[in-house]
Amino acid sequence: MARSWTRRDFLRGTGAAALSLGLAQLELACGSNEPPPTSATPTAGPPTPVQQALPQLPAYRTWEDLYRNQWTWDAVARGTHTMTNCVGACAWNLYVKDGMVWREEQKSTYEASAPGLPDFNPRGCQKGACGSNLMYSPSRIRYPMKRAGERGEGRWQRITWDEALESVASGIVDALEKEGPASILCELGPNIGAGPNSAAPFRFFRMLGAPATDSMAQVGDLATGATITLGNPHPCGSSDDWWRSSYLVLWAFNPSATRIPDAHFLYEARYKGAQLVAICPDLNNSAIHADLWINLRPGTDAALALGAAQVILAENLHNADYITEQTDLPLLVRTDTNRFVRQSDLQKGGSDKAFYVWDSVRNQASPAAGSGSSSTLDAGAVKPALEYSGSMTIEGKPVRVRTVFSLLKERLDRDYTPEKAAEITGVSAGLIRQFARGFAKAPAALILSQWGQCKFLHADLAQRAQILLASLTGNLGRAGGGWRSGGFFAPEGFALLSMQEQLGLVDLAGFAAKNYMDPEKTRAFFSQYFVPGSIWHQVHGGLSDVSGDLSQGDRSVPRSPKEYLREALENKWFPVQPTPGKAPHVILSIYGNVLRHVRNNTRLTQTLWPKVKLTVDVNFRMNETGRHADILLPAAYWYEKSDLKYLVSFVPYVHLGDRAVPPIGEAKPEWEIFALLSAAVAREAKKRSLAPYKDIGDLERDARRLDEAFTDRGRFGPTDEEKALEFVLSYSTTTKNVSLADLRQAGAVRFKSTGAPGGTAGYYSDYSEHEPLVPHRWFTEKKQPWPTLTGRQQFYIDHPWFLECGEAMPVYKPPPAAGGNYPLVLSGGHTRWSIHSQWRDQMPMLRLQRGEPVVYMNDQDAAQRGIADHDVVRVHNDLGQFLLRAKIARYVQPGQVFVYHAWEPYQFRGGRSDHSIIPSPFKPTSLVGGYGHLRWGWSHWEPNQVDRDTRVEVEKA
Ligand code: SF4
């Protein structure tokens, strides 16, 4: 009787084929009764070692049977890759055979947003296409383990779940007893979803009353220039709206490598006549498809944008009505203090949040629409002047005032003519003019600038200058136009499951309507138990010893960044828990890999890890952080649990990642892990008679009843993952009237709404299921004030720190020599072959590249140093060195070298990665607080970790 096949049999069989084992030999190995081989086929001799190792495969008659058997399955489930930060979401069918997912196939479930538009089909990327390889890879963690040697030594002992949970619970209760909940940190990475398994750690830490890190800036992804200018760092829309643009600018954005499921909209737009412009130093995977490639010098993006803005104003190509209504350009600024004219300047007890324009009809200062008590941008009978310079009586004396527009224009004409911008950027003045005119004259021009740009020290200045271009031309709020990064929508049910203790509250609907739907209250609600991850590691990881040193960053600022940091913390502009000086006792890492992604990462293992009594990694795979953990808790893979993919703006669909098979080994879904852990903590706390305590939000908590709080008094037990998922669906407007059964049928369902407007959504438009998503229409069409201090797109920031650092307006500042005075700039980018580190060690992906870390070098730079392709080289600067192979690549500019994202340190020779020599300086201006929209908030405002300005030398090792 033929035995049934397992995936292992199949892989071994096909692996043998790859070793040139002929079909005739396979037949012999299977004991086939087929006719003997002809003289043209190899003669069967004694079995080879490979043949001996082969399993007994089923008898078959011809090669077609082998092929047909290969394409059979027992069941098909709907799946996606829920807890990977790919900023995509794609519907897949998962084919299950003998209890294993053996292949996946894209599911073309999407419809066009409107007739005549391209649809989203098919979605996927090559990582997702080999998701089942990752699932069954050798780096998978199958059992709870505790370390048997020193941290990072790599010696492990398998333990039971009870032992693991008791150890972690004991560590947590120790910390509660000795230092309180602030000493227990959830190190929350970016690989989160939007269902119960992602809500689980949020809920656990919320009920414990302990902090979790906000990782947005910690991984270098916070678009601070958009926070400064637009009041939200996530301006977003759907990718089918790209197709409606006539002038598409990929600014430090390489979608063919990093936005694979969406890139087709750009290239389809070219077929209808759109111009595609790529602005990047390297001829990358997307630039090769562009009509215009502007290869500026690295880090000079702000100068290019300001040069183009100068052309637009000088040639009168700007949209004066738009910027008068929507921006702060007509606001009046005092030339004695360089601060806005405020009501508090003119009236005793007046507001410091009410601003003024110059009414050119009445020839007098007039309150600016959208600020102070005004709730509309409609100026009515007032005609604000864009250009004005004159005198006003302020505090009893004459003071010269000017509009922001006048100041900006003067600065552009003085410092950023195309000729001057050409000297900085290396881009010819003629090309800058061509770009500016093309952008300004296009019916709809769109700058796509995503998270790569954020990783420069002066990214905020570049982003402010890019947004200025989009605004001067009236593109923000227009279909196919504007400046966009990307955003995530928040299903309300997910937020409630994550944060709300008593889920059965009778006024739940009222809560959602009254509180959750208000963006400000939502942000405050979310932010309460988060700590700014980047700043947390500056303080507790000791990173600021290097990154806060003036020599590493912008030397033009008057004080060292470390001093600004101290002052910002003293002012309580950013919460850090535990407070500086106290040590964290427990770190529980989930959905991330902090010891890989933090810049200057070796410092964390040297400074932070020795202070921490217990480190735990909850993960499905072994990574750098897991290697240094004390306890590993094995999480189920994405095909082994039911969850939702996060709701990303590019594709307005809710995606189900369903449980196709049971978890491998003893892995468990996160919902179950944290439910069991809450019970273990409760038991331990009861054993020690731990008294109730005040949590970091000053609420009273009782760890003896943590399990009751987590499960909502038993409503959602450890194995109630599906029930919790149904809760998320039923309490979210995004999935109104969509059940789990519906999602299981379709795989992905179009949003019914964009959910709560707060959180990380930077959408600010009404949503329709029948058109692409275009952000900012509430401001341009409904005349609502922007969420900034002035109620307008704000290009002028008059906070004293911005003024003293010379950054009140968008300006160009040269990149720092971070890491020392070395001739090459170390840059990078997200890789095409992995999502962060999750696929970095996967053979199907390694086969598409060199198979190990490489540094890309221009051929001239390599020749000057006597380096040949594939040589092992030493990359070094003042912070240290790392070793890897060189790849000679002419598409990289001379003077620049690239190490693409997310190799694990253990994949490098010597175990030190590129991140070990990246000092990641930070900006004083990003530490400002208490200034309208510039204040700490989850995923809203703090200094980024940055890497693109690092200087190095490379030599043959
Ligand atoms: Fe899509 Fe992300 Fe999966 Fe790739 S990894 S197929 S982008 S969901």
Side-chain angles (χ1 to χ4, degrees), residues 80-81 84 86 88-90 92 124-125 128 261 839:
T80 188
H81 309 103
T84 186
C86 54
C90 313
W92 291 81
C125 74
W839 274 265

Side-chain angles (χ1 to χ4, degrees), residues 570-631:
E570 279 171 8
N571 290 342
K572 302 207 179 318
W573 286 342
F574 295 89
V576 175
Q577 299 278 1
T579 48
K582 295 194 170 178
H585 273 223
V586 177
I587 292 183
L588 199 147
S589 170
I590 184 158
Y591 307 137
N593 188 1
V594 62
L595 294 184
R596 184 207 62 74
H597 73 234
V598 161
R599 282 67 168 178
N600 202 354
N601 54 2
T602 45
R603 210 170 169 80
L604 284 200
T605 40
Q606 290 157 6
T607 308
L608 176 61
W609 249 235
K611 291 188 278 192
V612 178
K613 306 271 184 295
L614 175 68
T615 65
V616 182
D617 194 32
V618 184
N619 216 318
F620 74 87
R621 67 178 279 271
M622 181 68 95
N623 63 22
E624 183 70 5
T625 308
R627 285 185 67 233
H628 289 83
D630 300 316
I631 292 183

